[in-house]
Amino acid sequence: MTDKTDFKKTVDAYQAPRGRFRIVDVPDMRYLMIDGHGDPNTSPAFTTAVEALYPVAYKLKFASKRDLGRDYVVPPLEGLWWADDMDAFTTSRDKSLWNWTLLLMIPDWIDRAMVDTAVEQAGAKNRPARLDDIRLEALSEGRCVQTLHVGSFDDEAAVLAHLHDEFIPAQGLRMTGKHHEIYLSDFRRVAPEKQRTILRQPVLAQAAPSKPG
């Protein structure tokens, strides 16, 4: 019987405190990715993206256990979120203007050939509509600030405003990259007030002001 790795417990970047912000150095990780645009609550593209990612992820898990003797828990769904005007995401919450990339992390011992085979197998029966939109890509975020949010997604705005406008500047940092969410709860099954989501923002050090003269 093989041990089953749970990345939520073994990867430090999946740890975040509730009620405070934590600065963490996130290692480069590889993901199954799929892009979309629009309100995740009403956009068919969002639903079909989720429906395409999970069959591939589970094919990989089963292949890893069967062929490599390495079993693991499929990591949580993640999302990158942005808008041309970020106020549409953090303040006005105009979801029709949102862009997103959904992510499922895959272990570093799984190679591209295994991914290609999993995609092929996932399409053998009841082929997901967006299967061909999935890509394998590395994400390099580096230094990030993150916190655990418990509650509905619409209650994130105040937390993000505090993060963006107060905490990050106070640490001598500036935002870079895209807003990142990690869904520790299955939002399809868990009541909004009980949802647990890691909110992450990549950052860089503020450039030192130039000296006169």
Side-chain angles (χ1 to χ4, degrees), residues 60-174:
L60 285 172
K61 165 192 163 61
F62 298 144
S64 177
K65 180 179 180 180
R66 181 187 65 242
D67 301 336
L68 305 178
R70 303 187 73 168
D71 195 9
Y72 62 93
V73 178
V74 172
L77 184 70
E78 307 182 35
L80 303 177
W81 299 87
W82 72 100
D84 294 336
D85 178 359
M86 279 303 289
D87 283 346
F89 186 75
T90 58
T91 305
S92 68
R93 305 290 286 181
D94 187 347
K95 299 176 184 179
S96 67
L97 300 177
W98 293 0
N99 302 300
W100 42 264
T101 299
L102 292 184
L103 318 167
L104 277 176
M105 190 269 278
I106 64 169
D108 56 10
W109 62 77
I110 288 179
D111 61 23
R112 183 173 293 275
M114 291 181 69
V115 173
D116 291 342
T117 299
V119 170
E120 182 179 347
Q121 291 174 341
K125 294 182 180 178
N126 300 318
R127 184 179 181 85
R130 299 200 62 195
L131 185 64
D132 293 337
D133 294 334
I134 294 176
R135 67 184 187 279
L136 173 63
E137 190 172 308
L139 181 63
S140 180
E141 292 181 297
R143 180 145 296 183
C144 296
V145 182
Q146 60 190 42
T147 188
L148 176 65
H149 172 70
V150 179
S152 74
F153 299 132
D154 287 333
D155 290 339
E156 293 176 3
V159 179
L160 295 177
H162 180 41
L163 172 64
H164 295 170
D165 301 333
E166 299 176 41
F167 182 84
I168 288 176
Q171 301 300 312
L173 302 170
R174 60 181 175 85

Side-chain angles (χ1 to χ4, degrees), residues 29-82:
M29 292 192 281
R30 296 183 308 147
Y31 294 87
L32 302 174
M33 298 187 178
I34 192 165
D35 302 319
H37 175 83
D39 187 338
N41 297 311
T42 60
S43 170
F46 188 88
T47 300
T48 53
V50 174
E51 291 172 347
L53 285 170
Y54 273 105
V56 177
Y58 275 98
K59 294 292 185 185
L60 285 172
K61 165 192 163 61
F62 298 144
S64 177
K65 180 179 180 180
R66 181 187 65 242
D67 301 336
L68 305 178
R70 303 187 73 168
D71 195 9
Y72 62 93
V73 178
V74 172
L77 184 70
E78 307 182 35
L80 303 177
W81 299 87
W82 72 100

Side-chain angles (χ1 to χ4, degrees), residues 21-32:
F21 298 114
R22 178 189 181 213
I23 298 175
V24 58
D25 291 314
V26 178
D28 293 356
M29 292 192 281
R30 296 183 308 147
Y31 294 87
L32 302 174

